[in-house]
Amino acid sequence: MLEIGLLIYPGAQQAAVLGLNDLFCVANMFSQKYQKSNENLLRVTHWQQSGPQEEPECVFDTVPEAASPELSALIIPPTLREPEVVDATPELTRWLTGLREKGIILGSVCAGAFVLASTGLMDGRKMTTHWAYADLLIQRFPKIDVDANQLIIDDGDIISAGGLMSWTDLGLRLVHRLLGPTVMIDTARMLLVDPPGREQRYYSIFSPRLNHGDASVLKVQHWLQETQAKNVTMAALTSLAGLEERTFLRRFQKATGMTSTEYCQHLRVGRAQELLQFSGESFDRISWEVGYSDPGTLRKIFTRIVGLAPGEYRRRFSASQAK
């Protein structure tokens, strides 16, 4: 029997906890079908600290009559609290570090990444979180390689997942790892969930950094937003910023994390996403509206940034499809 633990920390989202319980229950059902046995192959336990100085203890067990719990994996679920207040206590840090040293898989979902990151276990490693929290995670833990474009990053002994509902992706990934692809696919079909393979950037919107404190760059950002980054020239940008070109390029990238060209592309693609979702205009017309005379150029940039071709994006996310 393989045991998956769920960490119940202050503010942990109960919907995700209960949803993971159900997902693993469905996986058990299919594993029993293929094994032709009534034995559970997955056991789910919940772990909680009774106090900040105490080591987490098992407070719930789907197979309480079985032998003492022995974890194969532990998931830190998401929270609806602000990530600034989500951290691991010293005792929790010691416990999680001990689990990893024993070879137990650790996983985080959404803002649960901040609990895992605060232990120091992610230093020098790649991690994802909700795209809206990516900048904060980078600021608080600069030693972590944050890639919020990815919905799930499986780094062997540590798996991180992006947004609030990506607990489904993490759960399916663990089912795949522990019970195999056939059980995973059957579980996904039963729950009407897309199997792993999505990317978080399909769902994210461009959220520029505005709190960097560089007034000259901020002035340019506001102007680009107002004009939707149309008819942009370097001369116009440097004049608006009141800076020499070399100085402007260096300060703009330091403040925003992007070159001015990349920044304009993200603004234009963001506008194209809106038009693909909420208008029936042709892609050629949309290209012209967002500042590209050549639709092929926008198509290449759109696909690189979003991860989907414009036609596929419209099929997935068009408001008319949701009616």
Side-chain angles (χ1 to χ4, degrees):
M1 194 184 304
L2 300 167
E3 180 190 340
I4 300 176
L6 306 177
L7 180 63
I8 313 300
Y9 61 95
Q13 187 191 24
Q14 291 301 307
V17 172
L18 297 177
L20 284 164
N21 283 354
D22 290 343
L23 186 150
F24 296 132
C25 177
V26 172
N28 259 329
M29 180 180 70
F30 283 112
S31 70
Q32 291 170 354
K33 170 186 172 183
Y34 292 117
Q35 295 289 332
K36 297 181 179 179
S37 167
N38 290 327
E39 295 294 324
N40 287 324
L41 291 187
L42 285 182
R43 175 186 192 179
V44 182
T45 53
H46 296 179
W47 296 79
Q48 189 170 18
Q49 290 177 284
S50 58
Q53 307 303 321
E54 304 297 325
E55 185 174 284
E57 298 178 341
C58 182
V59 296
F60 172 80
D61 192 339
T62 56
V63 193
E65 69 277 7
S68 298
E70 187 172 342
L71 288 167
S72 299
L74 180 85
I75 298 173
I76 304 173
T79 176
L80 297 180
R81 291 186 177 184
E82 289 299 315
E84 290 94 334
V85 300
V86 180
D87 272 322
T89 64
E91 189 57 46
L92 180 57
T93 295
R94 283 191 290 271
W95 186 70
L96 290 171
T97 301
L99 293 182
R100 180 173 172 271
E101 289 173 350
K102 294 177 183 177
I104 294 166
I105 300 168
L106 299 180
S108 68
V109 182
C110 194
F114 287 78
V115 176
L116 188 53
S118 67
T119 66
L121 292 172
M122 296 308 302
D123 290 358
R125 302 185 65 167
K126 184 174 286 190
M127 186 181 211
T128 189
T129 186
H130 194 293
W131 56 267
Y133 298 149
D135 283 345
L136 181 60
L137 190 63
I138 292 169
Q139 291 166 18
R140 289 195 57 195
F141 307 102
K143 294 181 180 179
I144 298 175
D145 181 6
V146 179
D147 183 0
N149 283 332
Q150 301 301 315
L151 192 64
I152 189 165
I153 294 177
D154 186 342
D155 204 17
D157 58 336
I158 297 180
I159 308 172
S160 57
L164 278 168
M165 292 301 295
S166 62
W167 58 263
T168 60
D169 299 85
L170 180 54
L172 290 173
R173 178 61 61 92
L174 283 175
V175 170
H176 185 284
R177 291 264 296 264
L178 300 176
L179 300 181
T182 302
V183 173
M184 183 275 288
I185 290 294
D186 284 343
T187 301
R189 285 173 177 165
M190 175 63 74
L191 297 175
L192 297 182
V193 175
D194 285 342
R198 298 180 294 156
E199 294 186 37
Q200 189 164 209
R201 58 180 170 163
Y202 299 171
Y203 308 93
S204 65
I205 57 173
F206 178 46
S207 182
R209 298 180 191 173
L210 300 173
N211 60 348
H212 45 71
D214 190 324
S216 296
V217 172
L218 187 61
K219 185 177 181 181
V220 171
Q221 287 178 275
H222 288 324
W223 180 77
L224 289 172
Q225 194 74 41
E226 292 168 6
T227 62
Q228 297 179 3
K230 293 181 180 179
N231 303 316
V232 176
T233 65
M234 184 55 63
L237 296 179
T238 55
S239 175
L240 194 64
L243 299 169
E244 295 291 334
E245 180 176 335
R246 185 174 178 180
T247 302
F248 168 76
L249 292 173
R250 174 178 55 80
R251 284 173 55 173
F252 190 93
Q253 183 157 13
K254 180 180 179 182
T256 66
M258 299 179 178
T259 67
S260 56
T261 298
E262 292 170 337
Y263 191 92
C264 291
Q265 289 175 344
H266 276 77
L267 281 176
R268 292 175 178 178
V269 166
R271 176 58 179 157
Q273 287 176 278
E274 292 179 12
L275 293 171
L276 286 167
Q277 283 183 271
F278 301 112
S279 82
E281 295 181 359
S282 69
F283 185 69
D284 286 3
R285 174 69 181 178
I286 290 173
S287 299
W288 182 84
E289 284 198 31
V290 302
Y292 288 95
S293 58
D294 177 17
T297 300
L298 176 59
R299 183 174 286 105
K300 290 178 182 177
I301 295 171
F302 188 101
T303 304
R304 173 172 53 81
I305 291 176
V306 179
L308 293 171
E312 177 62 20
Y313 184 87
R314 171 169 265 169
R315 282 191 290 274
R316 284 191 181 217
F317 299 111
S318 172
S320 63
Q321 297 294 331
K323 294 180 181 179

